[in-house]
Amino acid sequence: MNFFKYILIILFFFFSSISISSEKNINLELKIFKNLRCLICQGQSIYDSQSDFAESMKLVVRQKLELGMSENEIYSFLEDQYGEWILYDPKFNNKTYFLWILPFLMFLFGALLILRKLGVFKK
Amino acid sequence: MILNYIGSYSLLFSLLISAIIFLISIFSIQNKKESIRNLNKLFFFQFFLVLISFLSLIILFVISEFSNTTVFNNSHTNKPLLYKISGTWGNHEGSLILWLMILTFFVFIYFLKSNTRPIRERLFTIVFQEIIIIGFSIFLLKTSNPFNQVIPTPDQGLGLNPILQDPILAIHPPVLYLGYVSTSLIFSSALASLICLNVNREWASFIKNWIFVSWIFLTLGILLGSIWAYYELGWGGFWFWDPVENISLMPWLCLTALLHCTLVLEKRSSLGSWTIILSIVSFTLSVCGTFLVRSGILNSVHTFANDPDRGVYILIFLFFLIFSSLIIYFLYQDKIISNKDHFNFLSKESSILINNWFVMYFLSVVLIGTIYPIFLEVLSNEKISVGPPFFNKLIIPFLIPFLIFMAIGPNLKWIKAKKFKIPIRLSILLFINLVIAFLVLKIFDEVTLKLTLLLTASFYLFFITFKDLIKKEYKNISQTISHFGFSLLILSIILNSFLSKEIITNLKVGDEINFQENIIKFKKIESSFSSNYQSLIGYFEINNKHLFTPEVRIYDQPEVITSEADIKTNLFKDRFLVINLVKDNDYLNVRYQEKPLMIWIWLSTILITIGGSLSFIKKYEK
Amino acid sequence: MKNKYLLTIFIIFFTFCFIILFKGLKNPNTYQPEFNQNRVLSDFTSTEFFSDEKIKLSTIVTDEKYYLINIWASWCIPCRKEHKFLIKLQKQEKIKLIGINYKDKFKNAKNFLNDFENPYQIIFKDKNGIVSIELGAYGVPETFLINKNLQIIKKIIGPINPKTYNEIIEIIK
């Protein structure tokens, strides 16, 4: 099992060189555009939409970024104006517990069924 | 116009024939009369009558007969012939006739191709299938008759939405519907075999063909839709997690799971009830999709003109199907004769179970994400949006183990992998791939934990499936090719998503801009006229050699402005340039993108379907 | 026996789904931001229509009890319909009208005011739509009734009609 030990050691060095939260924000602006839903063409993000509203919204986001507002500050500003609907990324709050958790429950439930089929619960 | 009458009466007669077939089948089941040969004429007429009515509608569109409501609402004399024809199914009413036509066509084919099945089971299948056909016929006639007339006859029609005037979109709906509709046969046949206690190996190898048919068409349909969205609708994106896209993805996922688990039923006589459940769910999801799209309950870019009556009708029909299949399932589920053996962990059947487990998880993410906003709004009056970030967050982490299992699974043996020395070899390979993924990401300076693992897993799957592909001792060529195609697809999507570059800017004629070693020059702008639109064509030169001519089209009927991107494709990357008008300004909004490996996303999907189709060829060789 | 329970659970679950979807059909599928009572308008600075001076909203909103902020444009057809109500409102006491000229050409907007009379105390230019977004509006015409603390009392999406006009009159009486 020496071999695995080496692998583990190398793996360790590997991951220590990777910063976990190094989401690079070169294109923060585009990321924000893609996460805002257009109120005029309601099926699209303002990134995909060319409506007047979307164009103005892009300018507003750009302006706020230049003023040094963070991504979340921009979201909460717009959410105050237009409601949570405008954000494509639903927040984790009492409205969305089910949304976020239900898929995981399904996954766990599936695991149980599979373990049963593999005979794990049989004595 | 006489065609209006022909169309609508032939629909009525076909409904009548469906009712007759339904009654004959019920009668034969009750009397144990085992002869159904004479039914084939009826099936043919049923199909033929719907075909006639479909053709009449096409002719009405071609001759621009505006006394017909559907033609009036969706066509215009200036429209090119191709789009007059494709306009037939570019709207709610026409697409439903197409749907019904495919439905009657498939039941006819089923009847011809199912001689090997017991007669009782065939009769039950026909009964369920006719219930579905009657349901859709009544829906068509009652809520969305395509042959209603406008009095007095208008001179001109309202026109087809220009973004639908596109060659790919002309064939996208028929292909997609072939996929959706054939799931109905899987559904009927599953219920019939359940009732006749025929859930066994023979049934599995019979139904497998229909699952393949359905799955192949659905894959192609989704592919066409994505390609269209890529160059017409989206600004370089090809999948938006829009509700209507999700709706086509759900039956696809379900069929993918079903495809694998019928193999277990076929080879090991196990997982019978699970196969039945998946068969029922596939079709239910297709009808559910029809409901969500046609009722207008969802807020999407692709919408049909909606009418609450239609929604209510399909909703009731959908739940009628759900409840009746639920009850039938619970009545007969105990009687499924199934191999009760436990699976060995290191066996092919376990790996298929794991595949099903993950696919079902993905399905539940898509389903919950799509309908959750509806539930929340009804229950609490709050409106939220569930968009791409949600799906990405829940799906991508699970994709990593899924890909690794997918790499290992097919190399395991049925029942039990005897000597399993492979772990060391496989882990070394996994490790090598980790190094490769890390180095690739390092070169592009994009190293993150999530991306490294994801890329490792997809490289891993890619190399293993590639090795299987060149090994040349194909046990199952169809699977080898499909899996290789899938690994290629995932790899291209991942590389594409983090290597894409873009710039959005405003340019005037004569302007020049530098974008990462590229010089984009706006040379001139020209306008031209076509039969139903006026277009502005921008001439751009990139690096003094590539000429791009993106267009803005201003359609007159209805008045809509669309942007036509100019895309230059090669094996390594797509260059994508699109322009847009800016109100009251003399500059244009220009968006230039470089999207690596775009063509491989399409090619690998085609490879997947080729793999699927090969399963038929192999069968005929035997 | 076990199956019967399962079946019952499934039937209850799907009945629940049916009811939800049935009710969901009646809801509109398009979204309109909900009017949030007492939300305070975010203050903004923009150029004045005629003088091109930079003016801050809060410097104007001081003495009068109510202000009506109306987003309009010369190219907007429904704006013409609501114009007569604006003229009538302008004659009311306790209220001042503030116009926001949305994505318009100066010449056209001026002609519009000449042709239909100018009901506004002051007009801001909103050349690129930023001001409207800051206000939380999403199109033209749109009208906010605010008090001098910049609190929104009423918001009207689309043109003012006789009904909404009377509601405004009720409030400012």
Side-chain angles (χ1 to χ4, degrees):
Chain A
M1 285 291 110
N2 253 342
F3 172 73
F4 280 107
K5 215 155 69 188
Y6 286 122
I7 287 195
L8 278 178
I9 292 169
I10 298 174
L11 275 182
F12 176 76
F13 279 110
F14 234 68
F15 286 116
S16 53
S17 79
I18 300 172
S19 51
I20 293 179
S21 60
S22 74
E23 285 269 316
K24 294 213 297 182
N25 295 334
I26 309 167
N27 277 330
L28 180 63
E29 190 181 286
L30 294 180
K31 189 185 162 209
I32 297 177
F33 288 174
K34 285 179 186 171
N35 194 16
L36 292 175
R37 193 165 178 177
C38 176
L39 277 108
I40 304 300
C41 323
Q42 299 209 336
Q44 290 179 306
S45 66
I46 62 166
Y47 172 83
D48 291 311
S49 170
Q50 302 290 310
S51 65
D52 272 348
F53 177 83
E55 292 302 329
S56 308
M57 189 72 109
K58 285 178 201 165
L59 292 175
V60 170
V61 171
R62 212 165 279 163
Q63 204 183 47
K64 302 264 173 220
L65 279 174
E66 276 161 18
L67 284 174
M69 274 172 97
S70 75
E71 189 184 348
N72 286 329
E73 281 168 353
I74 294 176
Y75 290 152
S76 57
F77 171 78
L78 290 170
E79 195 196 319
D80 278 349
Q81 312 278 22
Y82 294 104
E84 211 179 320
W85 185 89
I86 198 161
L87 304 178
Y88 259 131
D89 191 4
K91 294 180 169 175
F92 187 68
N93 58 23
N94 57 0
K95 283 178 236 166
T96 54
Y97 286 145
F98 266 111
L99 174 68
W100 286 101
I101 291 173
L102 212 54
F104 289 108
L105 291 180
M106 302 283 275
F107 191 72
L108 292 179
F109 180 67
L112 280 181
L113 289 182
I114 287 183
L115 289 177
R116 204 180 67 172
K117 191 71 199 170
L118 293 176
V120 172
F121 302 125
K122 218 179 62 177
K123 276 170 200 165
Chain B
M1 182 72 195
I2 185 93
L3 280 169
N4 276 326
Y5 295 102
I6 293 178
S8 109
Y9 279 105
S10 61
L11 272 183
L12 263 179
F13 280 118
S14 105
L15 175 61
L16 191 70
I17 290 184
S18 311
I20 293 171
I21 299 175
F22 176 72
L23 292 175
I24 291 180
S25 321
I26 294 268
F27 185 74
S28 314
I29 291 171
Q30 272 180 349
N31 294 308
K32 305 225 155 72
K33 231 174 69 182
E34 310 266 284
S35 154
I36 51 170
R37 231 172 303 141
N38 48 1
L39 276 179
N40 66 1
K41 282 190 194 110
L42 285 175
F43 279 119
F44 177 74
F45 276 119
Q46 178 183 243
F47 164 63
F48 187 68
L49 285 168
V50 183
L51 182 69
I52 286 184
S53 125
F54 184 62
L55 289 177
S56 346
L57 192 62
I58 291 184
I59 295 170
L60 286 169
F61 265 89
V62 170
I63 61 172
S64 296
E65 178 57 49
F66 296 119
S67 66
N68 177 299
T69 328
T70 316
V71 181
F72 167 69
N73 283 326
N74 299 290
S75 198
H76 192 276
T77 43
N78 283 346
K79 220 165 52 165
L81 180 66
L82 173 67
Y83 304 128
K84 281 183 185 164
I85 296 174
S86 74
T88 315
W89 53 80
N91 59 77
H92 168 76
E93 290 85 357
S95 65
L96 262 183
I97 289 211
L98 178 66
W99 179 283
L100 192 65
M101 189 180 79
I102 298 172
L103 205 51
T104 51
F105 174 68
F106 273 145
V107 73
F108 179 52
I109 296 293
Y110 168 83
F111 189 78
L112 296 181
K113 291 274 172 193
S114 63
N115 320 338
T116 54
R117 303 303 303 153
I119 286 182
R120 205 171 125 81
E121 182 193 309
R122 288 170 83 188
L123 283 171
F124 268 110
T125 310
I126 291 164
V127 169
F128 293 124
Q129 201 60 25
E130 289 303 325
I131 290 175
I132 295 166
I133 292 175
I134 292 171
F136 276 104
S137 299
I138 294 176
F139 177 55
L140 183 63
L141 286 166
K142 188 107 177 71
T143 66
S144 12
N145 193 333
F147 298 101
N148 286 337
Q149 297 191 39
V150 200
I151 298 167
T153 304
D155 297 332
Q156 195 46 275
L158 300 176
L160 178 69
N161 186 349
I163 62 166
L164 304 180
Q165 297 184 23
D166 181 275
I168 284 195
L169 215 65
I171 52 167
H172 163 68
V175 174
L176 198 63
Y177 286 5
L178 283 169
Y180 276 137
V181 170
S182 44
T183 57
S184 73
L185 264 160
I186 302 169
F187 169 86
S188 304
S189 177
L191 287 183
S193 71
L194 187 64
I195 292 176
C196 304
L197 315 181
N198 278 342
V199 184
N200 52 25
R201 292 172 175 209
E202 289 72 34
W203 179 74
S205 56
F206 166 76
I207 203 65
K208 213 172 70 182
N209 294 330
W210 283 101
I211 298 171
F212 266 113
V213 167
S214 199
W215 183 81
I216 289 167
F217 281 119
L218 211 50
T219 315
L220 280 177
I222 294 173
L223 173 70
L224 291 172
S226 293
I227 294 177
W228 170 76
Y230 172 61
Y231 68 70
E232 179 75 35
L233 181 67
W235 307 89
F238 59 95
W239 190 266
F240 300 90
W241 295 106
D242 178 83
V244 171
E245 293 172 342
N246 294 347
I247 279 162
S248 63
L249 190 62
M250 287 191 279
W252 185 85
L253 285 170
C254 195
L255 283 171
T256 309
L258 180 56
L259 205 59
H260 290 88
C261 105
T262 34
L263 293 177
V264 181
L265 182 59
E266 193 185 4
K267 295 276 165 22
R268 292 267 283 132
S269 315
S270 191
L271 300 184
S273 353
W274 180 234
T275 311
I276 299 293
I277 293 177
L278 285 178
S279 309
I280 293 171
V281 173
S282 304
F283 179 60
T284 313
L285 286 173
S286 301
V287 180
C288 183
T290 314
F291 163 71
L292 293 171
V293 178
R294 316 262 170 166
S295 65
I297 195 168
L298 284 173
N299 191 331
S300 150
V301 257
H302 324 252
T303 39
F304 287 95
N306 42 52
D307 168 358
D309 284 352
R310 289 174 190 163
V312 173
Y313 185 94
I314 304 194
L315 187 66
I316 292 172
F317 187 58
L318 170 65
F319 277 83
F320 165 72
L321 291 175
I322 291 178
F323 284 121
S324 35
S325 46
L326 204 60
I327 289 166
I328 294 174
Y329 176 76
F330 275 97
L331 278 179
Y332 291 93
Q333 174 237 21
D334 298 340
K335 301 188 179 99
I336 296 175
I337 304 152
S338 175
N339 185 346
K340 289 276 189 299
D341 289 354
H342 291 297
F343 290 174
N344 186 291
F345 181 67
L346 289 172
S347 62
K348 200 171 234 171
E349 49 270 40
S350 304
S351 73
I352 287 180
L353 266 187
I354 290 175
N355 151 296
N356 272 222
W357 176 34
F358 276 92
V359 174
M360 281 293 120
Y361 168 74
F362 298 141
L363 175 60
S364 69
V365 172
V366 178
L367 181 66
I368 292 168
T370 309
I371 63 172
Y372 188 81
I374 303 174
F375 278 64
L376 184 70
E377 196 192 340
V378 172
L379 292 174
S380 71
N381 225 355
E382 302 270 2
K383 286 195 170 196
I384 60 160
S385 301
V386 177
F390 171 81
F391 296 104
N392 291 339
K393 275 182 195 164
L394 287 191
I395 287 179
I396 290 174
F398 285 80
L399 208 55
I400 297 164
F402 176 71
L403 295 175
I404 293 177
F405 279 122
M406 187 173 164
I408 300 171
N411 289 316
L412 297 172
K413 300 260 185 319
W414 292 104
I415 303 176
K416 189 176 177 177
K418 283 190 187 86
K419 38 182 181 176
F420 199 67
K421 275 188 192 161
I422 319 162
I424 295 184
R425 250 187 30 222
L426 288 177
S427 1
I428 296 175
L429 192 58
L430 188 60
F431 178 71
I432 294 171
N433 282 303
L434 181 65
V435 177
I436 297 175
F438 183 76
L439 291 177
V440 168
L441 289 171
K442 197 82 193 169
I443 292 169
F444 295 103
D445 203 18
E446 289 276 353
V447 184
T448 58
L449 181 61
K450 195 173 80 180
L451 210 51
T452 314
L453 292 179
L454 191 60
L455 202 59
T456 306
S458 48
F459 269 134
Y460 187 54
L461 177 64
F462 178 76
F463 285 122
I464 288 194
T465 50
F466 185 67
K467 197 192 76 201
D468 290 345
L469 191 71
I470 54 173
K471 217 164 51 182
K472 283 190 183 144
E473 38 179 85
Y474 305 121
K475 282 190 214 102
N476 185 345
I477 184 160
S478 144
Q479 175 235 304
T480 312
I481 291 182
S482 287
H483 280 211
F484 176 68
F486 185 77
S487 74
L488 199 58
L489 174 68
I490 293 284
L491 199 59
S492 324
I493 291 177
I494 294 169
L495 292 174
N496 176 278
S497 75
F498 82 86
L499 294 178
S500 290
K501 296 177 222 158
E502 70 178 301
I503 182 171
I504 307 172
T505 183
N506 292 325
L507 292 179
K508 279 197 200 91
V509 175
D511 280 356
E512 208 178 276
I513 188 166
N514 280 322
F515 169 61
Q516 306 191 340
E517 300 132 35
N518 292 304
I519 304 159
I520 304 168
K521 207 187 270 173
F522 187 1
K523 303 197 71 156
K524 59 176 175 179
I525 193 157
E526 273 176 11
S527 64
S528 73
F529 292 88
S530 259
S531 72
N532 57 342
Y533 59 85
Q534 178 198 342
S535 66
L536 287 174
I537 305 169
Y539 287 80
F540 291 82
E541 212 173 56
I542 294 181
N543 297 338
N544 291 324
K545 52 180 183 205
H546 304 289
L547 181 70
F548 282 77
T549 51
E551 239 181 287
V552 173
R553 288 186 185 164
I554 303 149
Y555 284 83
D556 42 16
Q557 267 310 321
E559 211 172 292
V560 176
I561 299 175
T562 67
S563 294
E564 307 290 317
D566 192 4
I567 305 170
K568 299 265 187 287
T569 303
N570 65 29
L571 283 182
F572 302 106
K573 65 181 170 195
D574 275 19
R575 295 159 182 271
F576 185 109
L577 191 88
V578 64
I579 52 173
N580 202 67
L581 299 176
V582 184
K583 195 192 248 157
D584 297 337
N585 278 303
D586 54 351
Y587 51 80
L588 291 175
N589 187 264
V590 179
R591 199 181 280 209
Y592 174 69
Q593 308 189 51
E594 287 192 356
K595 312 203 64 95
L597 303 178
M598 215 49 220
I599 185 106
W600 291 100
I601 296 178
W602 317 135
L603 288 180
S604 57
T605 314
I606 292 170
L607 207 57
I608 294 174
T609 56
I610 290 176
S613 322
L614 280 178
S615 73
F616 290 104
I617 295 168
K618 205 177 63 186
K619 211 151 280 149
Y620 286 116
E621 277 174 0
K622 278 180 191 169
Chain C
M1 236 7 188
K2 197 184 88 192
N3 284 343
K4 248 181 210 162
Y5 292 124
L6 247 154
L7 178 63
T8 325
I9 292 171
F10 272 113
I11 288 189
I12 291 170
F13 172 72
F14 282 115
T15 314
F16 168 73
C17 290
F18 178 81
I19 293 169
I20 299 280
L21 290 174
F22 189 77
K23 285 193 167 172
L25 274 177
K26 297 202 175 74
N27 289 335
N29 69 352
T30 48
Y31 175 73
Q32 262 200 357
E34 248 169 54
F35 165 55
N36 189 347
Q37 190 105 35
N38 296 331
R39 183 164 70 87
V40 178
L41 219 55
S42 56
D43 199 3
F44 64 85
T45 311
S46 188
T47 45
E48 204 274 330
F49 188 71
F50 295 102
S51 64
D52 270 346
E53 250 178 281
K54 290 242 175 212
I55 296 180
K56 201 169 181 180
L57 178 70
S58 51
T59 56
I60 321 164
V61 179
T62 43
D63 47 343
E64 209 63 57
K65 204 165 173 198
Y66 294 105
Y67 290 85
L68 194 77
I69 299 183
N70 176 253
I71 303 172
W72 65 283
S74 62
W75 47 263
C76 142
I77 307 295
C79 294
R80 299 181 184 198
K81 268 196 201 156
E82 72 170 5
H83 205 80
K84 57 173 187 263
F85 295 110
L86 295 175
I87 305 281
K88 276 203 259 175
L89 279 169
Q90 174 215 16
K91 291 172 185 145
Q92 297 285 327
E93 283 171 33
K94 293 191 203 162
I95 190 163
K96 274 186 183 165
L97 270 66
I98 299 169
I100 291 176
N101 185 227
Y102 179 80
K103 291 195 175 176
D104 214 343
K105 282 198 172 127
F106 182 68
K107 216 180 104 193
N108 297 349
K110 223 168 97 184
N111 287 341
F112 181 90
L113 293 176
N114 287 340
D115 292 352
F116 297 102
E117 191 176 337
N118 179 1
Y120 306 108
Q121 209 78 30
I122 183 166
I123 301 173
F124 287 102
K125 268 189 204 165
D126 186 13
K127 195 92 188 97
N128 42 27
I130 291 183
V131 174
S132 305
I133 301 250
E134 299 262 1
L135 290 177
Y138 79 118
V140 267
E142 197 160 322
T143 308
F144 297 85
L145 182 65
I146 60 169
N147 64 18
K148 61 183 166 196
N149 302 323
L150 292 181
Q151 269 179 342
I152 304 174
I153 295 160
K154 192 169 175 56
K155 178 174 159 185
I156 300 158
I157 294 173
I160 299 172
N161 54 33
K163 189 172 156 267
T164 42
Y165 171 77
N166 286 332
E167 283 166 9
I168 296 173
I169 296 289
E170 275 303 300
I171 293 170
I172 62 171
K173 215 162 44 183

